[in-house]
Amino acid sequence: MLKNTVTHEVEFCVVGGGLSGICAAIAAARLGVKTAVMQDRPMFGGNASSEIRMWVCGAHGENNRETGLIEEFELENMYINPMRNYSVWDSVLYEKAAAEENIEILLNCACQEAKTENGVIKSITGYQTTTQTRHTVAADYFCDCSGDSILADLTGAEYRKGREAAGEFGEDIAPETADARTMGMSCLLQIRDTGRKSVFIPPKRAYKYTKETLTRFPAQNLINENFWYIELGGTGDSIKDTEILRDELLKTAFGLWDYIKNSGSYDADAWELEWLGFLPGKRESLRYAGDYIMNQNDVRGGGKFDDIIAFGGWTMDDHHPEGFLTKEPATIFHPAPSPYGIAYRCIYSKNIQNLFFAGRNISVTHAALSSTRVMATCALLGQAAGAAAYAAVKNNASPREIYENKNLLKNLQDILLDNDCFLPGIKREVSALTNAARLEDRFENLRNGHDRPIGAGDNGVYVNIGEEIKFAFDAPRAVTGVRLVFDSDLNRATVRYTNPDNPGKIGLTHNMMANKPRDFDGIEFPETMVSDFKIDVVYENGVKKNAAAVKGNYQRLVKTAFEKGIGNITEVIITPEKTTGKSDGYKNKAHIFSIDIY
Ligand SMILES: Cc1cc2nc3c(=O)[nH]c(=O)nc-3n(C[C@H](O)[C@H](O)[C@H](O)COP(=O)(O)OP(=O)(O)OC[C@H]3O[C@@H](n4cnc5c(N)ncnc54)[C@H](O)[C@@H]3O)c2cc1C
């Protein structure tokens, strides 16, 4: 046993730093919770990181893009990473966590042990390879965001594995009898169109494929191909078999590239192998049992839960367990409405009293998981778990007690809405000061409690640059800050380049690209954002003063706090001064969804 053990005492400990884990940790830390995040890799992001390179997907449909932390990360990435470099994307996530003074970051540290007493986790311990140190983290609440649910067997938390029988929850996309089959794991590859001829000699162990032996072919047009279907492991044990599968996946991926590059069936002379991931990305292992197990019918029914804390909207994208080896379709996209709600009871353990979970291991059936597993949804679940941990710490309550106490549950939803998470069907409560103000009729949408377009309703206002939005009070008030929600173009296409085979813009909604065209020169930031604005206040005596002047903003949610507050105010005036727009329609007009005065 190593002598070098360091003990940490925090209020909330997150295990696993994929998008769900990093969102859980940051959400809790920003609410003032002392938090530790233990991540076994050198960077955050999990399947979205440069080690695995899956792009972030989420809810389908106009204006259904996930906001909150995931939108903050994506906007940061769009702003500082126009070339969509994976290391820069890693650094976006790392910097976000490192900026939080309430987070202790434990990277390269794999959780291996847990101490549990009477159904309560006391501490977990991980081994940090870079320092040969064991880290023990004692906490009041834990959140397993490890994907593989490392705390399940370590704590005795109940879980499920495999596919439910159709009859158990009445799921018509489930198999007739239950089995232990899951979706598989993948080693992805990235290729690059270099414009010059290049040679590829496959490693000796790579499989040799022919037209007859290869069952899965990529599209002829290699642009945007991400090879997600190089997938194995759904018929065995997606945890214990991983190293054997990694070896198989490498042989398969190199073999497939050899076929594409060298068989003559593809116009691939100028294409080069840029990168091949040696770490398999996983889709499914164990799913914890929470107080509720969400199923296909909940998804289909729109997830109309009173305890909604997140939403999904990807189709039920149920991969064949045989993955690359099946001759059947590699996946079936069963329709799902978008958005649909996800219940709070799906993110805490049924039998371990202080355990939350978020990500692909939440309490859902296999069928529901086939939709909830996409990473923007996982990020929302993480943010919800982090906010719930804050509610638990603040009220000295168990996760279940938060569900049972309707006030606590409503507070949790209020926190999420205030932090720009969209909860379909729930209106954000506008601050009392905002409602008390006089406001021109044409600005009423700014305080209607909706921070995005919903259906036919835009829920925002358009104002000219330089035009004043005045909140006027009948009697002098003290104000402490202003919360604003700008337009980040929720329907934006982040991949804008010319496809030689299909001229015109390609519109994809992902944070990163599978590959870049030859002439790629970066992607521009959306034009809809208010970048510069000022906030003036008018005192009771009629004197007008500037309270804040923001320049170069690129975030959708902006909370401007006035230090110590400002008293005796009769007006708060917000003036947009510039947008990120370059074209006329965007340059001269600001689109704002909400303004709250506090
Ligand atoms: C090939 C592939 C293609 C996919 N396609 C898409 C797609 O196009 N878009 C999309 O949005 N989603 C896609 N998915 C699904 C999505 O990537 C996952 O469902 C999602 O990443 C799950 O998020 P998570 O945070 O739960 O887990 P992960 O992203 O897996 O993150 C968990 C993290 O915890 C760490 N960890 C594990 N065990 C421990 C431990 N013991 N101690 C400390 N840390 C630990 C892991 O290393 C990892 O970094 C795909 C998945 C795969 C594999």
Side-chain angles (χ1 to χ4, degrees), residues 14-22 38-41 43-49 51-52 54-58 106 109-112 126 144-151 154 184-188 226-231 279-284 314 317 319 358-362 369 372-379 510:
V14 179
V15 178
L19 282 182
S20 60
I22 195 70
M38 185 180 285
Q39 157 75 338
D40 64 358
R41 311 302 307 170
M43 72 281 284
F44 293 114
N47 284 353
S49 74
E51 283 193 314
I52 295 175
M54 241 4 274
W55 50 38
V56 178
C57 293
L106 296 167
C109 191
C111 173
Q112 318 171 306
D144 189 336
C145 296
S146 68
D148 277 354
S149 305
I150 179 69
L151 293 182
L154 292 180
M185 62 190 80
S186 302
C187 284
L188 298 178
N226 76 359
F227 301 95
W228 60 268
Y229 49 82
I230 304 177
E231 174 174 0
L279 179 66
K282 295 192 184 176
R283 292 181 178 81
E284 180 177 2
W314 189 251
D317 170 9
H319 289 215
R360 66 182 168 88
N361 60 4
I362 63 165
L369 171 76
T372 62
R373 70 198 170 85
V374 287
M375 286 184 278
T377 311
C378 290
H510 304 129

Side-chain angles (χ1 to χ4, degrees), residues 174-207:
E176 207 174 302
T177 45
D179 60 34
R181 293 179 143 206
T182 62
M183 289 178 275
M185 62 190 80
S186 302
C187 284
L188 298 178
L189 50 94
Q190 289 196 321
I191 54 178
R192 189 162 67 104
D193 181 2
T194 62
R196 59 188 156 68
K197 205 170 168 165
S198 58
V199 170
F200 173 71
I201 300 168
K204 291 205 169 54
R205 292 158 46 77
Y207 285 131

Side-chain angles (χ1 to χ4, degrees), residues 405-468:
N405 181 325
K406 296 303 162 209
N407 287 334
L408 295 186
L409 185 62
K410 180 169 183 314
N411 278 341
L412 170 59
Q413 291 171 330
D414 287 345
I415 291 168
L416 292 170
L417 291 164
D418 181 52
N419 286 295
D420 201 21
C421 295
F422 173 48
L423 301 180
I426 304 194
K427 212 165 152 170
R428 183 176 59 80
E429 264 186 33
V430 170
S431 79
L433 217 45
T434 313
N435 279 329
R438 270 179 285 115
L439 189 64
E440 277 183 62
D441 281 354
R442 66 194 174 111
F443 294 146
E444 273 303 325
N445 266 358
L446 292 172
R447 57 178 178 187
N448 76 355
H450 294 299
D451 294 348
R452 64 170 63 205
I454 299 170
D458 177 73
N459 293 319
V461 301
Y462 285 91
V463 279
N464 293 326
I465 293 301
E467 196 178 352
E468 294 186 337

Side-chain angles (χ1 to χ4, degrees), residues 8-23:
H8 310 257
E9 283 187 15
V10 294
E11 292 165 313
F12 181 48
C13 175
V14 179
V15 178
L19 282 182
S20 60
I22 195 70
C23 287

Side-chain angles (χ1 to χ4, degrees), residues 12 16 21 26 41-42 94 102-103 144 181 197 213 265 283 369 374 399 409 418 440 524 563 578 586 589 591 594 596:
F12 181 48
I26 292 176
R41 311 302 307 170
Y94 179 67
N102 281 329
I103 297 188
D144 189 336
R181 293 179 143 206
K197 205 170 168 165
T213 58
S265 304
R283 292 181 178 81
L369 171 76
V374 287
L409 185 62
D418 181 52
E440 277 183 62
E524 289 189 359
E563 242 178 90
K578 198 177 168 200
Y586 294 109
K589 278 218 187 293
H591 191 206
S594 61
D596 278 57

